[in-house]
């Protein structure tokens, strides 16, 4: 493509600036040109009809033509974009790479400026900004602006400085605080470092060199703490390339999301043949697992047809299923036990019947199409067949979109709650929802989240369902852990909300008592008029609180009721963690015993993945788990437990000590 053609293409994209070159030749003032350059840089990649590649090439040519006149302005602007717009990190790093290819000296000056910005961020204790800039510098390796060896040296210097003797405390504190920041924000240091190194794989497929890079970083990380690093580093699995060690499953999840985002939005020049051995490997091997999860996540951000188009035919076995419902009662004349009931519900719901009518239908004996009673009515409304027929039929009718599904659940919430009065009923609701939407992980996750918010199902039921035998084939899929994480987080937010409201009520009660005990009656009356009660809420799990009358004073009885509600929520939270950890212990113990009996290695891909998820629960929810650590130690993580499982708990205690 000629230089003139590149300019034409770029100006066509940004129609507002099509007269840019003409105005420049006509002698427009430099401030006007600077403003237009700034506008082009800030808007690159936004709301365009052509590809991001052509936009970047056009912008690089425009900037290159004016580098000599506005170099200081362009350098400052690009550094600011790198710092303030991390969501466009790859766009701006690519732009710098194109400019570097056109003007090597400019690339060198930009590196000096971005490194200076990184140092300034450390000096100013701007830890998040430092992390963003560090990631940008790493991405410059992909664009051949920074050498990979220089980047590894930078990573090593961050680790080394914390262990140096005889250096100024300010220098040591800067590096240490950066590490502390990423750790406190649940972004452990190795994620911050490996996050950048990992991205190099997609552009620089050099297994031997990358192996050295990973090895040097992990060796340094492993020296930081003998007690806590095993938990932080966790398992080392083979991923992407057969000899490159990976990191904790949390980082695996991060990079699945990272790569899926780019795969769905940018046309990578991706060499799929580097992954040609995926189909020949164990399905639990990290390499095919990574490809499957990336395609699954990318499909959420894009659509099925696009994923099918960009994946070569050889890789089609790794493509996810087409995300559509599998309605088991679709065939009207099938012999399924709930077929006649489903047909009846299908007609009634489409004819806008009321939830009350549906409940009455479900109370009737289960019958076949010929009128034969299949099960007596006294089995109850929570009969698994009845639950399955209702859930599948309603959600199938409302399968067009999230909004349709939410509206259906809201309308028939009384039916759902009647069916889910028992633990078995809630489990059946989950089984039926999964069976219908097993091909659409996103829909399944969203529906379960909605059912938790509306209290159709309880958190404990979700945990029991995830660890049930029915879900064994799904157990190592990423979406399962999204569901478990959102379940635990929802319970934690519920407890935190009740705690906050109780503390506010207690404070209000103390204020009221202090006013009423005042010796000056007139002052007391004035103060009572001035002090307005804080609006309190009676909170429902996962929903919006119902405001109390703002004119009502808080009484001791109100506080007592709130204390009881909080105690119940804390008991539910403790029970949830007991279920989760007990199930982990059970499945891991069964695996270890079976491997010992069969005299085969226990550290399979499944085992490493499962242990990684156990560690993830400890790390991601450490503040909540810590409150129940004594109970966990006394009931579950006892001394007679296999040392491989017990060690994970001991690492957690060491991390929190």
């Amino acid at each position: 493509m000629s230089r003139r053609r590149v300019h034409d293409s770029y100006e066509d994209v940004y129609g507002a600036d099509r007269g840019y070159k003409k105005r420049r030749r006509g002698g427009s003032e430099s401030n006007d040109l600077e403003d237009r350059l700034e506008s082009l840089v800030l808007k690159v990649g936004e709301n365009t009809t052509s590809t991001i590649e052509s936009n970047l090439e056009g912008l690089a040519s425009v900037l290159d033509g004016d580098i000599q006149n506005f170099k200081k302005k362009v350098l400052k602007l690009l550094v600011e974009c790198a710092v303030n717009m991390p969501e466009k990190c790859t766009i701006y790093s690519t732009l710098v790479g194109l400019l570097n290819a056109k003007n090597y000296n400019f690339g060198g000056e930009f590196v000096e400026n971005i490194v200076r910005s990184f140092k300034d961020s450390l000096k100013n204790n701007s830890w998040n900004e430092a992390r963003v800039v560090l990631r940008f510098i790493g991405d410059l390796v992909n664009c051949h602006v920074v050498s990979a060896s220089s980047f590894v040296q930078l990573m090593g210097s961050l680790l080394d400085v914390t262990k140096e003797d005889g250096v100024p405390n300010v220098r040591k504190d800067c590096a240490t605080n950066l590490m502390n920041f990423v750790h406190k924000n649940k972004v452990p240091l190795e994620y911050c470092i490996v996050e950048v190194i990992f991205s190099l794989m997609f552009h620089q497929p050099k297994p031997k060199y990358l192996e050295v890079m990973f090895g040097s970083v992990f060796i340094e990380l492993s020296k930081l703490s003998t007690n806590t690093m095993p938990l932080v580093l966790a398992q080392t699995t083979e991923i992407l390339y057969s000899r490159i060690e990976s990191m904790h499953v949390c980082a695996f999840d991060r990079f699945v999301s990272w790569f899926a985002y780019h795969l769905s939005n940018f046309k990578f020049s991706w060499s799929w043949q580097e992954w040609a051995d995926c189909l020949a490997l164990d399905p639990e091997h990290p390499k095919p697992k990574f490809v499957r999860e990336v395609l699954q996540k990318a499909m959420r951000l894009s659509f099925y047809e696009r994923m099918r188009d960009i994946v070569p035919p050889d890789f089609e076995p790794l493509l996810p299923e087409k995300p559509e419902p599998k309605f088991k009662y679709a065939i009207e004349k099938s012999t399924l036990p709930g077929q006649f009931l489903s047909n009846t519900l299908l007609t009634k719901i489409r004819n806008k019947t009321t939830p009350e009518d549906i409940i009455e239908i479900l109370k009737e004996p289960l019958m076949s199409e010929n009128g034969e009673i299949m099960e007596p009515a006294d089995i109850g409304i929570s009969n698994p067949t009845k639950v399955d027929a209702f859930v599948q039929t309603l959600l199938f009718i409302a399968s067009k979109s999230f909004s349709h599904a939410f509206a259906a659940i809201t309308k028939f919430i009384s039916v759902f709650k009647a069916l889910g009065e028992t633990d078995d009923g809630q489990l059946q609701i989950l089984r039926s929802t999964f069976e219908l939407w097993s091909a659409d992980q996103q829909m399944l996750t969203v529906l379960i989240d909605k059912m938790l918010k509306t209290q159709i199902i309880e958190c404990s039921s979700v945990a029991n369902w995830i660890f049930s035998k029915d879900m064994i084939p799904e157990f190592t899929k990423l979406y399962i852990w999204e569901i478990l994480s959102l379940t635990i987080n929802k319970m934690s937010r519920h407890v935190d909300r009740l705690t906050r409201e109780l503390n506010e009520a207690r404070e209000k009660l103390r204020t009221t008592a202090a006013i009423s005990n005042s010796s000056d009656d007139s002052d007391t009356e004035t103060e009572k008029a001035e002090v307005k009660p804080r609006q309190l809420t009676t909170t429902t799990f996962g929903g919006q609180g119902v405001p109390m009358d703002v004119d009502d004073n808080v009484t001791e009885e109100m506080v007592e009721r709130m204390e009881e509600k909080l105690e119940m929520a804390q008991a539910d939270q403790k029970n949830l963690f007991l279920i989760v950890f007990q199930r982990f212990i059970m499945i891991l113990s069964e695996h270890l015993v079976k491997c010992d009996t069969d005299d085969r290695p226990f550290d399979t891909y499944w085992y490493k993945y499962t242990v990684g998820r156990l560690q993830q629960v400890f790390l991601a929810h450490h503040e909540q788990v810590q409150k129940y650590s004594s109970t966990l130690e006394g009931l579950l993580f006892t001394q007679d437990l296999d040392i491989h499982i017990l060690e994970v708990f001991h690492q957690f205690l060491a991390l929190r000590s």
Side-chain angles (χ1 to χ4, degrees), residues 80-93:
E80 290 175 350
C81 289
V83 173
N84 298 319
M85 289 189 279
E87 71 279 5
K88 296 169 69 173
C89 171
T90 55
I91 292 178
Y92 287 113
S93 61

Side-chain angles (χ1 to χ4, degrees), residues 386-404:
K386 293 180 179 179
V387 175
D388 185 65
F390 170 76
V391 172
Q392 283 237 354
T393 303
L394 178 69
L395 295 183
F396 172 70
I397 293 173
S399 61
K400 187 175 182 180
S401 68
F402 295 144
S403 299
H404 286 79

Side-chain angles (χ1 to χ4, degrees), residues 10 26 138 170 175 198 211 299 352 392 447 487 490 587 592 629:
Y10 190 72
V170 173
F198 192 90
E211 183 178 0
M299 192 169 64
K352 312 297 184 183
Q392 283 237 354
L447 288 177
T487 301
K490 198 169 297 295
I587 61 175
L592 291 169
S629 58

Side-chain angles (χ1 to χ4, degrees), residues 102-335:
K102 296 175 182 295
N103 188 325
Y104 184 75
N105 291 332
F106 176 84
E109 291 186 56
F110 177 81
V111 171
E112 292 178 3
N113 278 265
I114 197 71
V115 170
R116 187 180 305 117
S117 175
F118 178 64
K119 293 179 179 179
D120 290 341
S121 299
L122 294 178
K123 291 177 182 178
N124 298 330
N125 298 336
S126 301
W127 312 121
N128 189 45
E129 181 178 297
R131 175 173 170 255
V132 169
V133 177
L134 181 64
R135 178 184 172 188
F136 190 89
I137 295 173
D139 212 44
L140 291 177
V141 180
N142 296 332
C143 305
H144 306 288
V145 178
V146 174
S147 68
S149 58
S150 298
F151 175 74
V152 174
Q153 291 176 5
L154 175 61
M155 298 296 98
S157 67
L158 286 175
L159 298 170
D160 290 340
V161 71
T162 62
K163 304 189 291 294
E164 292 179 7
D165 295 325
V167 299
N169 287 334
V170 173
R171 170 177 159 85
K172 184 178 294 187
D173 290 345
C174 281
T176 302
N177 287 338
L178 175 60
M179 297 178 187
N180 290 339
F181 169 81
V182 294
H183 187 71
K184 287 179 181 178
N185 287 271
K186 298 181 181 177
V187 185
L189 177 61
E190 77 278 12
Y191 298 169
C192 186
I193 295 176
V194 181
E195 175 184 34
V196 187
I197 298 180
F198 192 90
S199 67
L200 305 182
M201 296 178 179
F202 301 112
H203 301 275
Q204 303 209 12
K206 302 175 183 177
K208 290 184 179 180
Y209 187 60
L210 289 173
E211 183 178 0
V212 174
M213 293 171 66
F214 265 111
S216 62
V217 171
F218 277 113
I219 288 172
E220 294 301 320
L221 287 170
S222 64
K223 297 176 183 178
L224 292 181
S225 171
T226 56
N227 289 330
T228 63
M229 285 313 294
L231 181 63
V232 177
L233 291 175
Q235 72 212 65
T236 54
T237 59
E238 191 176 6
I239 190 169
L240 293 181
Y241 298 101
S242 60
R243 291 172 293 153
I244 298 177
E245 294 181 337
S246 182
M247 66 302 294
H248 192 273
V249 290
C250 295
F252 180 88
D253 297 350
R254 280 178 183 273
F255 297 128
V256 164
S257 298
W258 181 87
F259 190 39
Y261 170 78
H262 291 291
L263 190 64
S264 63
N265 287 279
F266 297 94
K267 294 181 179 179
F268 275 164
S269 298
W270 176 245
S271 177
W272 288 93
Q273 292 309 310
E274 290 174 14
W275 298 72
D277 62 338
C278 280
L279 299 177
L281 296 173
D282 182 336
E284 291 297 320
H285 187 286
K287 193 169 182 179
K289 179 184 289 293
F290 181 83
V291 176
R292 284 196 306 271
E293 294 292 359
V294 164
L295 294 175
Q296 183 68 247
K297 186 61 71 73
M299 192 169 64
R300 296 189 188 185
L301 301 169
S302 182
F303 48 91
Y304 178 77
E305 286 73 17
R306 170 169 168 75
M307 291 299 102
R308 189 180 56 194
D309 290 342
I310 67 175
V311 173
D314 292 346
F315 286 81
E316 286 187 1
L318 295 178
L319 270 174
E321 295 182 79
K322 188 173 183 178
E324 56 188 9
K326 300 177 181 179
F327 185 43
K328 67 193 297 185
Y329 301 106
I331 304 175
E332 293 186 3
K333 298 297 183 179
S334 76
T335 58

Side-chain angles (χ1 to χ4, degrees), residues 409-423:
I409 290 173
T410 300
K411 178 178 179 179
F412 291 97
I413 191 169
S414 59
V415 183
F416 276 104
K417 290 192 174 183
L419 295 174
E421 284 184 346
T422 64
D423 292 341

